Amino acid sequence: MLEKVLVANRGEIAVRIIRACQELGIRTVAAYSEADRDSMAARLADEAVCIGPAAPLRSYLNPPALLSAAQITGCDAVHPGYGFLSENAYFAEICTECKLKFIGPDAATIRLMGDKAAGRRTMQAAGLPIIPGSESELNSVDEAIEVARQIRYPVLLKPTNGGGGRGMRIANDESELIKAYPTARAEAEAAFGDGSLLLEKYLSQVRHIEIQILADQYGHAIHLGERDCSAQRRHQKIVEESPSPVVDPRLRKRMGEAALCGVSAINYANAGTLEFLLDPDGAFYFIEMNTRIQVEHAVTEQVCGIDLVKWQLRIACGERLTMEQNDVRIRGHAIECRINAEDPKRDFLPVAGELEFFLPPGGPGIRIDSHLYAGYTPPGSYDSLLAKIITWGADRDEALDRMRRALRECVITGIKTTIPFQLALIDDPVFRSGNISTGYVKELLQRWRESGTAM
Ligand code: ADP
């Protein structure tokens, strides 16, 4: 087993990784920026090392600072969490060169899947259905127009190296495409340092369904069913659940087997997620693979009873996966609400403040993954995720009823949060019915605006 892990991240995921390490008897070092000196991760870890100023480029996105921290503290591995350097092939490569185990797949796999065009080509060759679109990155607006003529409108421009739903643009006809192309390029360049774009057919009535996989270094892989992340705002997930209300055992088997085909085609090792769009007829299309732990991993853990972060650590140090596909049992239903420091009344504007009082919900079936404590001021320099509330129930209704109770019970004062929005969403009859698509949240907000409903 590993002896000491550098946690190269912050916020709730840093705490999550420390907890997994502690249960496995692995020592931890929290790498923190000057803005995170008082963070829960820095307090919970066995050691903590300051890696630089608040600006991510000088701390959490700065490989030399992280590697020095790992070396001076005698770590033998680095866990990158999600975001920051978690899908940076160069970082994975130099960790390995410095004799530090990178908790994730190898650098070549990260590089391959980090490029959405290459990822699509690879998965198509492995037999997975993909959305019609450009085979590689677009070289010009003329090429975009040409592809759009073949696949027909509406189309979606998507950054090749994108993430977090940023930089995507829909075009309903040629004039919109001509207008959107330079804007999308500029946005991608600003957000990801790379303006290259892909063009895909835009599918309107779809659900976002993703398959969690675990694979060891010896070619053995299993899938842990699906997560439904169709409740999105601006292509970013806000509520996730497992299982999906619309995936039956047959579809789960088909999607799981497709995901495992993809995994074996690239000799993938560690935890990973293949994301798909599912249309109302049951046809599904691969969109991308995330080669890291995801924010929403906890819903899978709750229904499968498997600790994904512990398995990431075990697999990275060469342990074999001890479960077979038949051992995976999906029990009950789990839902996650992302609680962000945002004001839903002001178009989800990120807000800052000192947390005066924090009372997390409790009782049966409730799990809180958070880095909050009373008196803590979450720094404004990073993303706005404060806590994840995850509820489990024997069925979807019980999980939802518990979520309502948990959201009502949760007290956060001093900072505005998305709780009022989440509460209203959980009670919305359309969400309750389970009959939603990725456009649902936009429609819901529109509906509330028109009816003057207060959140
Ligand atoms: P990112 O890596 O930025 O998260 P993804 O490719 O994973 O981007 O897509 C994020 C979301 O954008 C999806 O969950 C879906 O809602 C929407 N999306 C992506 N591709 C398409 C498409 N071709 N048609 C319709 N919606 C799409």
Side-chain angles (χ1 to χ4, degrees):
M1 210 359 125
L2 303 167
E3 282 185 10
K4 209 191 233 189
V5 170
L6 183 89
V7 182
N9 212 304
R10 62 174 307 283
E12 71 84 21
I13 193 64
V15 172
R16 171 74 189 90
I17 297 163
I18 293 167
R19 287 177 171 152
C21 289
Q22 285 177 346
E23 290 179 21
L24 290 172
I26 303 170
R27 294 178 62 75
T28 50
V29 179
Y32 67 88
S33 75
E34 281 165 14
D36 278 333
R37 204 172 285 281
D38 297 327
S39 70
M40 171 123 75
R43 289 174 184 213
L44 284 183
D46 296 299
E47 292 167 60
V49 177
C50 183
I51 48 160
L57 274 175
R58 297 180 63 195
S59 48
Y60 300 107
L61 287 172
N62 182 3
L66 291 160
L67 290 170
S68 318
Q71 282 175 330
I72 55 170
T73 52
C75 288
D76 51 0
V78 175
H79 198 308
Y82 53 65
F84 294 127
L85 294 173
S86 61
E87 288 179 297
N88 183 306
Y90 165 74
F91 183 58
E93 213 160 63
I94 50 168
C95 281
T96 312
E97 272 169 25
C98 294
K99 309 261 175 300
L100 289 162
K101 284 204 164 67
F102 177 82
I103 316 289
D106 61 30
T109 306
I110 298 175
R111 190 166 285 127
L112 183 68
M113 290 298 127
D115 174 341
K116 287 191 188 175
R120 271 167 58 104
R121 281 198 303 274
T122 309
M123 291 304 165
Q124 187 178 28
L128 272 65
I130 59 162
I131 299 172
S134 54
E135 288 206 348
S136 49
E137 68 179 77
L138 301 164
N139 289 309
S140 63
V141 69
D142 291 336
E143 195 183 329
I145 294 169
E146 183 55 39
V147 178
R149 279 196 187 133
Q150 285 163 21
I151 63 175
R152 306 225 294 272
Y153 291 89
V155 294
L156 182 69
L157 285 166
K158 205 187 243 196
T160 313
N161 293 303
R166 282 187 298 170
M168 290 193 273
R169 292 269 156 158
I170 302 166
N172 290 299
D173 55 39
E174 198 165 304
S175 68
E176 284 187 18
L177 182 58
I178 293 168
K179 247 199 267 157
Y181 186 83
T183 326
R185 270 196 82 90
E187 271 177 24
E189 177 71 47
F192 311 110
D194 174 2
S196 49
L197 299 174
L198 267 182
L199 188 86
E200 268 178 13
K201 173 94 181 161
Y202 179 73
L203 306 178
S204 56
Q205 287 300 315
V206 285
R207 299 182 79 109
H208 174 116
I209 306 286
E210 57 189 35
I211 305 287
Q212 174 71 53
I213 62 94
L214 272 179
D216 68 18
Q217 294 178 19
Y218 313 97
H220 178 44
I222 57 171
H223 73 81
L224 304 170
E226 77 284 358
R227 290 187 287 264
D228 191 323
C229 315
S230 304
Q232 304 180 351
R233 191 179 155 269
R234 299 191 174 156
H235 307 301
Q236 286 181 31
K237 303 161 187 170
I238 45 182
V239 177
E240 303 96 345
E241 58 187 304
S242 182
S244 164
V246 298
V247 174
D248 63 17
R250 267 188 60 204
L251 180 57
R252 180 169 306 121
K253 187 160 183 282
R254 273 175 52 219
M255 293 188 79
E257 283 169 1
L260 291 177
C261 262
V263 165
S264 98
I266 56 172
N267 290 323
Y268 193 87
N270 216 283
T273 301
L274 287 93
E275 298 189 335
F276 296 91
L277 296 182
L278 174 71
D279 77 16
D281 303 330
F284 57 87
Y285 306 91
F286 169 82
I287 48 171
E288 68 158 346
M289 179 167 189
N290 287 143
T291 55
R292 53 166 166 82
I293 196 76
Q294 287 188 287
V295 178
E296 60 273 22
H297 73 277
V299 290
T300 300
E301 294 185 324
Q302 295 311 109
V303 292
C304 291
I306 289 172
D307 188 313
L308 289 165
V309 182
K310 281 196 206 164
W311 274 108
Q312 284 195 294
L313 295 157
R314 292 191 188 109
I315 289 170
C317 69
E319 279 190 31
R320 280 178 191 276
L321 204 52
T322 50
M323 292 119 10
E324 298 297 326
Q325 190 61 54
N326 280 338
D327 299 328
V328 179
R329 293 265 178 276
I330 292 162
R331 220 185 109 252
H333 200 98
I335 302 189
E336 168 177 289
C337 283
R338 299 189 188 193
I339 309 304
N340 293 332
E342 291 170 7
D343 186 352
K345 285 206 173 71
R346 289 160 69 204
D347 201 25
F348 295 85
L349 188 76
V351 288
E354 183 192 330
L355 188 61
E356 292 159 359
F357 189 73
F358 176 46
L359 179 71
I366 290 175
R367 164 174 170 180
I368 308 298
D369 280 19
S370 173
H371 59 296
L372 293 186
Y373 59 85
Y376 175 62
T377 306
S381 338
Y382 308 107
D383 80 21
S384 56
L385 183 65
L386 295 177
K388 304 186 306 199
I389 301 183
I390 303 116
T391 61
W392 181 89
D395 54 26
R396 187 169 189 263
D397 276 337
E398 190 179 41
L400 282 167
D401 291 341
R402 279 192 171 142
M403 183 59 83
R404 183 203 290 119
R405 171 174 74 75
L407 290 167
R408 283 185 183 157
E409 213 172 284
C410 184
V411 184
I412 296 179
T413 60
I415 309 176
K416 285 212 162 59
T417 75
T418 46
I419 288 179
F421 165 76
Q422 301 279 21
L423 248 177
L425 181 139
I426 291 297
D427 273 340
D428 180 51
V430 180
F431 186 80
R432 275 267 167 178
S433 77
N435 182 22
I436 64 163
S437 72
T438 52
Y440 161 72
V441 172
K442 195 174 169 195
E443 290 155 18
L444 178 70
L445 291 169
Q446 181 76 20
R447 190 154 32 96
W448 283 344
R449 225 171 289 137
E450 282 165 11
S451 67
T453 308
M455 260 184 269

